[in-house]
């Protein structure tokens, strides 16, 4: 990585500025008379202001040498000529060049101070009324508020883009809000570690036992554990973890927990012999999901007699014969308000779903088909012959302009106008999304949930699919029989073997399943690159873009970081006709395969038919089609959705030639190559190996140590997730959200 340097100077002119995210390209006139191009997030910049920029030099393919800003310290201009340049640039809304010149001629070096602190004095300037003076002063104070917020963040080496997010959330009071409670920086949407926020607060003079600190730690702990899948934490664990985090007596978090509960910020409830502590939004999601699911379950059943006739018609049309469990699933779909259909690969889930779709069509029901990811929705649409969409799109996802929170336009106030909803890959659906779905269903809407209960749970909080099945409240059909055609696949046979704790058959006479023994991680990595670059494309006719490398871990020689570096070099090497853009330690190149690593609800994308949409989500995979010659944007194609990304959004992207098994949930690939080498025990599990095997459609290749494969098959460890949905349903527990 390039060495960090600092350059001081005055902004000569602004070449490009994106007001939404603050991304800027400017020319800086340095103290020794040179001109330097600076790029980065510098909101509200204007010519004439002084600036100290720290960052790394980089060579742009078109614009040459430029400094990518990592830290920026800004100074208001003091010279009258620079003050005029600053004010006439449009930095103060409503202030034109003529009035700016008159103000500077009148007040000279005092101009900015008068404008901000003594607006009534501006009335001596020709053309400025008292009303106009106050309007100009208010506009200038808003501009200064953003600058001072940036200065506050810069003092603690926090990225300038954070100023934009904080301004969106807290408006003009952002700086005063932070100075009153700096721990707000550690909230999820801001992404600053609690340890850093804590150091900032201590340097500002806050006491270690102050209520803001302890309350922030309690909320942070629940947010942090939500990212680990937990809907709540037992009170004793929350108290103990917070006391360790703050290195304080338990009495402090015990006291502030009571305060937060009284304020309604947190909710405490007895759940399954645990005193559960929830963030209010998570408690509302769980309680609401239980109440609304109960209502769907209690709806009057439809005793339709069409099921048997439809089954015969579908069998004839598809040329199949349904097994008894498949028939039972279609019969239950005809009469139950909620139905779960679960089974592993090759057990006939797809054929059964086709039968349910045909039945609903014969019954004259309007229906919606959906799945958590774009690829899963596309696959569902292909196998049913109907349109399918993501759950987020089905619910009309948008963002609240005032709070910045994600909301759905479809809810109890404006429900989905449909008679039935079928959700595939249900194991990926987390609690907040499931709760939002139930809120959008009219009373009496049929709900069919389809998935593989043995796959890894959702990335988000909760264990919804498993909880629903284990509650015993929802009619569930288990498809366990592997059909003869599917049984011919070694991928499917081995996946089912792993699911029962048996290691896969590691012989290379199985047709679609291979094992390449490589005892060292270095040998395994070299072989994986060879497979993707030459062996599979040349010997088996599988293009490299249809191969997905999976690995349990991000770290090490066979982790995603190192494998992506090697695979990029092999599959998309540097070329004069491919533009590049470096962000941190990652080099992005036109043609690269990339993955979105967090939900971004604001990205606007366009389809080839010119239809528009918003939102690129955690796990979405795309290809870099174009990097703008100026380095100001790149265009990424996410399965037919062209989305522009500015450089400040690149921290949400990573190369995706190799991805973790967790990130591959819900996706299916023609060929999968998996690194099977020793890693942390929590990653060497049966669930991860089973999920990896079930991602491959035509070809599965394990590369690595047979001991590691056996250890994964034998290790059925699963992290316990604290979730109350199963208990609420099985005990009829009702709470009013």
């Amino acid at each position: 990585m390039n060495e960090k340097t600092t350059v001081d100077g005055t902004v000569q002119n602004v070449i490009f500025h994106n007001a939404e995210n603050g991304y800027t390209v400017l020319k800086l006139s340095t103290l020794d008379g040179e001109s330097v191009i600076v790029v980065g997030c510098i909101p509200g910049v204007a010519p004439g202001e002084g600036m100290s920029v720290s960052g790394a030099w980089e060579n742009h393919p078109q614009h040459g040498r430029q400094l990518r800003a990592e830290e920026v310290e800004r100074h208001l201009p003091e010279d009258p000529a620079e003050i005029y340049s600053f004010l006439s640039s449009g930095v103060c809304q409503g202030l034109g060049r003529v009035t700016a010149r008159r103000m500077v001629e009148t007040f000279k070096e005092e101009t900015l101070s008068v404008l901000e602190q003594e607006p009534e004095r501006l009335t001596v300037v020709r053309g400025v009324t008292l009303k106009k003076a106050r309007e100009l002063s208010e506009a200038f104070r808003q501009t200064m508020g953003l600058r001072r917020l940036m200065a506050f963040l810069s003092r603690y080496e926090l990225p300038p883009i954070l100023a934009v997010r904080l301004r969106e959330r807290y408006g003009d009071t952002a700086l005063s809000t932070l100075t009153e409670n700096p721990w707000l920086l550690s909230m999820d949407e801001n992404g600053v570690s609690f340890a850093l926020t804590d150091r900032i607060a201590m340097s500002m003079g806050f006491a270690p036992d102050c209520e803001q600190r302890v309350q922030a730690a309690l909320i942070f702990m629940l947010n942090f554990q939500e990212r680990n899948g937990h809907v709540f934490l037992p009170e004793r664990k929350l108290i103990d973890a917070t006391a360790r985090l703050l290195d304080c007596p338990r009495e402090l978090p015990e006291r502030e927990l009571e305060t937060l509960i009284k304020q309604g910020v947190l909710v405490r409830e007895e759940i399954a012999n645990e005193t559960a502590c929830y963030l209010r939004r998570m408690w509302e999601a769980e309680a609401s999901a239980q109440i609304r699911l109960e209502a769907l379950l209690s709806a009057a059943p439809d005793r339709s007699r069409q099921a048997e006739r439809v089954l015969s018609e579908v069998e004839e049309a598809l040329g199949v014969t349904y097994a008894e469990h498949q028939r039972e699933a279609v019969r239950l779909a005809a009469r139950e308000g909620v139905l779960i259909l679960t089974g592993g690969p090759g057990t006939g889930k797809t054929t059964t779903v086709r039968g349910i779709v045909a039945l609903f069509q014969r019954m004259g029901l309007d229906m919606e088909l959906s799945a958590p990811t774009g690829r899963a929705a596309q696959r569902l649409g292909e196998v049913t012959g109907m349109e399918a969409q993501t759950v987020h799109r089905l619910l009309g996802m948008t963002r609240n302009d005032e709070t910045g929170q994600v909301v759905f336009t479809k809810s109890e106030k404006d429900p989905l106008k449909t008679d039935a909803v079928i959700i595939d890959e249900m194991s990926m659906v987390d609690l907040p999304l499931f709760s939002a779905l139930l809120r959008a269903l009219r009373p009496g809407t049929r709900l069919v949930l389809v998935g593989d209960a043995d796959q890894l749970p959702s990335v988000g909080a909760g264990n919804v699919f498993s909880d629903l099945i284990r509650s015993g409240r929802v009619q569930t059909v288990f498809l366990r029989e592997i059909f003869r055609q599917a049984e011919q696949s070694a991928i499917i046979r081995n996946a089912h073997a792993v699911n029962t704790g048996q290691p896969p058959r590691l012989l290379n006479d199985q047709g679609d399943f291979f094992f390449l023994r490589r005892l060292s991680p270095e040998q395994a990595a070299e072989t994986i690159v060879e497979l993707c670059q030459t062996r599979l494309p040349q010997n088996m006719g599988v293009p490299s873009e249809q191969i997905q490398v999976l690995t349990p871990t991000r770290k090490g020689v066979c982790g995603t970081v190192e494998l992506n570096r090697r695979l990029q070099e092999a599959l998309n090497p540097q070329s004069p006709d491919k533009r590049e853009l470096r962000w941190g330690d990652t080099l992005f190149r036109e043609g690269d395969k990339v993955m979105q690593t967090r939900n971004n609800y604001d990205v606007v994308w366009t389809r080839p038919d010119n239809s528009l949409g918003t939102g690129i989500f955690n796990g979405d995979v795309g290809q870099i089609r174009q990097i703008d010659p100026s380095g100001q944007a790149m265009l990424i194609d996410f399965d037919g959705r062209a989305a522009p990304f500015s450089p400040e959004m690149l921290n949400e992207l990573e190369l995706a030639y190799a991805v973790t098994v967790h990130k591959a949930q819900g996706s299916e690939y023609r060929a999968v190559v998996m690194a099977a080498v020793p890693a942390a025990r929590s990653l060497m599990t049966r669930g991860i190996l089973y999920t990896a095997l079930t991602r491959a459609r035509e070809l599965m290749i394990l590369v690595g140590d047979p001991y590691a494969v056996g250890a994964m098959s034998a290790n059925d460890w699963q992290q316990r997730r604290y979730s109350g949905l199963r208990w609420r349903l099985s005990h009829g527990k009702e709470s009013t959200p």
Side-chain angles (χ1 to χ4, degrees):
M1 196 170 177
N2 293 335
E3 194 171 321
K4 196 170 182 179
T5 187
T6 300
V7 174
D8 297 308
T10 302
V11 178
Q12 188 174 342
N13 66 297
V14 178
I15 301 169
F16 172 84
H17 180 68
N18 185 324
E20 291 186 0
N21 59 30
Y23 181 73
T24 302
V25 181
L26 60 84
K27 183 177 288 187
L28 192 71
S29 179
T30 67
L31 298 180
D32 55 9
E34 294 184 7
S35 290
V36 173
I37 299 297
V38 177
V39 299
C41 179
I42 314 174
V45 69
E49 64 177 293
M51 192 171 288
S52 178
V53 182
S54 297
W57 292 106
E58 61 184 25
N59 286 309
H60 190 276
Q62 181 172 336
H63 299 290
R65 193 167 182 252
Q66 58 188 28
L67 183 64
R68 179 163 296 281
E70 297 174 10
E71 300 169 29
V72 179
E73 185 178 338
R74 300 163 70 171
H75 316 283
L76 287 174
E78 298 176 355
D79 178 77
E82 291 178 350
I83 292 174
Y84 168 71
S85 177
F86 178 69
L87 290 178
S88 63
S89 68
V91 70
C92 181
Q93 188 175 0
L95 181 60
R97 289 178 177 271
V98 173
T99 303
R101 188 185 69 249
R102 291 172 180 168
M103 288 171 57
V104 174
E105 288 174 349
T106 302
F107 297 108
K108 299 182 174 54
E109 292 88 350
E110 290 185 273
T111 302
L112 298 182
S113 174
V114 171
L115 180 58
E116 182 176 12
Q117 299 173 18
E118 302 175 274
E120 64 279 357
R121 292 179 59 188
L122 296 176
T123 56
V124 302
V125 176
R126 184 156 57 94
V128 179
T129 64
L130 182 59
K131 179 182 177 183
K132 180 69 172 177
R134 288 171 176 167
E135 289 175 350
L136 291 175
S137 182
E138 176 60 27
F140 186 68
R141 278 197 292 267
Q142 288 184 8
T143 300
M144 291 301 97
L146 180 60
R147 291 171 58 91
R148 290 183 179 117
L149 178 60
M150 284 190 61
F152 173 84
L153 298 175
S154 176
R155 196 181 313 150
Y156 302 105
E157 300 186 357
L158 292 171
I161 187 66
L162 186 54
V164 178
R165 296 183 196 144
L166 292 167
R167 187 68 178 267
E168 286 177 356
R169 182 169 180 83
Y170 301 112
D172 295 337
T173 65
L175 183 56
S176 60
T177 301
L178 285 182
T179 53
E180 290 173 6
N181 187 355
W183 288 279
L184 292 173
L185 287 168
S186 61
M187 293 178 64
D188 262 9
E189 58 266 31
N190 297 328
V192 181
S193 73
F194 184 86
L196 176 55
T197 304
D198 207 36
R199 287 199 298 273
I200 292 172
M202 294 299 103
S203 72
M204 293 169 65
F206 283 87
D209 61 349
C210 69
E211 62 181 28
Q212 298 103 312
R213 182 181 189 232
V214 183
Q215 290 179 13
L218 288 162
I219 294 170
F220 168 80
M221 191 57 64
L222 287 172
N223 274 313
F224 178 79
Q225 293 302 333
E226 181 186 336
R227 294 196 295 273
N228 289 332
H230 300 297
V231 177
F232 69 82
L233 278 185
E235 182 176 12
R236 54 187 168 76
K237 287 184 176 291
L238 176 60
I239 296 295
D240 289 342
T242 304
R244 286 195 300 272
L245 178 66
L246 299 180
D247 190 21
C248 71
R250 295 180 84 258
E251 290 76 14
L252 287 181
E254 285 175 346
R255 181 190 69 200
E256 296 307 328
L257 176 60
E258 296 300 326
T259 301
L260 290 172
I261 290 171
K262 288 177 182 176
Q263 293 174 349
V265 176
L266 304 184
V267 177
R268 181 169 54 200
E269 189 174 359
E270 293 299 320
I271 298 288
N273 298 320
E274 293 280 8
T275 302
C277 293
Y278 293 81
L279 293 166
R280 171 159 285 276
R281 59 180 171 77
M282 294 303 292
W283 177 80
E284 289 177 347
E286 188 174 272
S288 171
Q290 184 244 336
I291 291 170
R292 294 174 188 281
L293 193 62
E294 294 277 8
L296 293 179
L297 290 169
S298 63
D302 185 329
R303 301 296 181 183
S304 172
R305 299 180 181 276
Q306 299 185 59
E308 290 297 335
R309 185 173 71 253
V310 170
L311 278 166
S312 299
E313 292 172 357
V314 173
E315 284 179 330
E316 184 176 349
L318 299 179
V320 300
T321 301
Y322 278 120
E324 183 51 38
H325 281 99
Q326 292 177 299
R327 287 180 170 275
E328 180 64 13
V330 178
R331 292 191 197 103
L332 288 170
R335 70 171 192 259
E336 295 293 334
V338 185
L339 174 68
I340 290 175
L341 177 65
T342 183
T347 57
K349 290 196 303 294
T350 297
T351 309
T352 308
V353 170
R354 286 178 185 164
I356 293 172
V357 169
L359 170 68
F360 286 169
Q361 289 172 332
R362 300 294 200 286
M363 294 173 68
L365 302 179
D366 292 329
M367 76 186 94
E368 294 283 357
L369 274 59
S370 189
T373 66
R375 290 194 171 188
Q378 181 181 359
R379 193 167 66 246
L380 178 61
E382 290 169 354
V383 300
T384 59
M386 290 183 61
E387 181 185 357
Q389 57 189 316
T390 64
V391 181
H392 287 88
R393 189 178 178 196
L394 174 69
L395 298 180
M397 178 210 69
T398 185
R399 183 182 284 274
N400 186 305
D401 292 334
E402 294 182 2
T403 65
Q405 299 296 309
V406 174
V407 294
F408 297 102
T409 59
K410 294 299 178 183
S411 64
E412 56 269 68
K413 296 179 181 178
D414 181 21
L416 293 167
K417 295 176 175 59
T418 187
D419 302 312
V421 175
I422 300 176
I423 306 291
D424 197 13
E425 293 288 354
M426 185 60 200
S427 63
M428 295 184 65
V429 175
D430 61 23
L431 176 65
L433 186 58
F434 184 60
S435 181
L437 171 67
L438 293 178
R439 285 181 180 272
L441 300 184
R442 296 181 298 186
T445 303
R446 297 165 184 268
L447 182 60
V448 179
L449 307 174
V450 185
D452 185 345
D454 293 315
Q455 286 188 26
L456 296 172
S458 58
V459 174
N463 205 3
V464 174
F465 198 42
S466 177
D467 281 352
L468 295 177
I469 293 171
R470 293 187 299 151
S471 73
R473 291 294 312 284
V474 183
Q475 282 280 5
T476 302
V477 176
F478 296 89
L479 301 180
R480 294 189 173 93
E481 179 185 351
I482 305 176
F483 287 92
R484 186 175 304 167
Q485 183 177 356
E487 205 168 23
Q488 297 172 8
S489 166
I491 296 173
I492 291 176
R493 291 198 307 272
N494 283 319
H496 283 276
V498 168
N499 204 29
T500 62
Q502 301 299 314
R505 189 166 178 261
L506 301 182
L507 298 175
N508 290 331
D509 59 352
Q510 303 177 75
D512 60 358
F513 186 99
F514 296 86
F515 174 72
L516 302 181
R517 180 187 175 97
R518 301 291 186 272
L519 296 183
S520 78
E522 180 63 37
Q523 290 177 325
E526 290 175 358
T527 299
I528 288 169
V529 172
E530 289 173 9
L531 287 166
C532 297
Q533 184 179 22
T534 57
R535 292 170 64 173
L536 293 184
Q538 293 177 8
N539 300 336
M540 304 194 73
V542 182
S544 58
E545 60 268 19
Q546 296 181 17
I547 305 168
Q548 182 60 59
V549 175
L550 300 182
T551 175
T553 182
R554 292 180 55 82
K555 301 177 181 179
V557 175
C558 285
T560 56
V561 175
E562 177 62 16
L563 284 176
N564 272 315
R565 186 192 65 77
R566 296 186 184 210
L567 288 165
Q568 180 192 46
E569 185 178 329
L571 303 178
N572 189 32
Q574 190 175 35
S575 169
D577 58 355
K578 292 179 182 177
R579 297 192 185 100
E580 298 176 348
L581 183 59
R582 179 172 290 280
W583 184 259
D585 293 330
T586 303
L587 178 68
F588 294 102
R589 182 177 295 138
E590 288 179 336
D592 273 340
K593 185 178 182 180
V594 292
M595 174 179 281
Q596 179 76 6
T597 60
R598 63 182 290 268
N599 291 341
N600 188 324
Y601 303 94
D602 299 324
V603 179
V604 178
W605 46 259
T606 309
R607 292 190 186 276
D609 62 2
N610 292 323
S611 61
L612 299 175
T614 58
I616 300 295
F617 304 112
N618 187 2
D620 284 354
V621 174
Q623 185 177 35
I624 300 175
R625 294 299 187 194
Q626 182 181 3
I627 295 177
D628 189 270
S630 67
Q632 296 164 11
M634 64 168 61
L635 189 68
I636 305 177
D637 185 342
F638 291 92
D639 288 328
R641 297 168 296 158
F645 273 61
S646 68
E648 295 300 329
M649 297 158 64
L650 298 188
N651 61 341
E652 301 175 1
L653 289 174
E654 60 186 29
L655 296 175
Y657 298 102
V659 302
T660 63
V661 178
H662 280 91
K663 291 287 188 182
Q665 284 177 268
S667 296
E668 187 179 77
Y669 312 99
R670 181 180 175 185
V672 169
V673 177
M674 180 182 175
V677 298
R681 186 175 184 276
S682 61
L683 298 173
M684 301 296 289
T685 67
R686 184 182 304 170
I688 287 179
L689 181 57
Y690 174 77
T691 300
L693 297 184
T694 55
R695 300 307 91 206
R697 187 171 65 249
E698 296 180 16
L699 180 64
M700 180 75 210
I701 302 178
L702 290 177
V703 181
D705 187 338
Y707 172 79
V709 177
M712 293 182 80
S713 304
N715 181 12
D716 63 351
W717 178 86
Q718 294 180 0
Q719 181 192 32
R720 178 185 177 184
R721 290 191 168 194
Y722 289 108
S723 163
L725 184 59
R726 173 193 176 190
W727 187 86
R728 290 179 189 275
L729 288 169
S730 58
H731 287 73
K733 172 72 174 179
E734 290 193 12
S735 303
T736 303

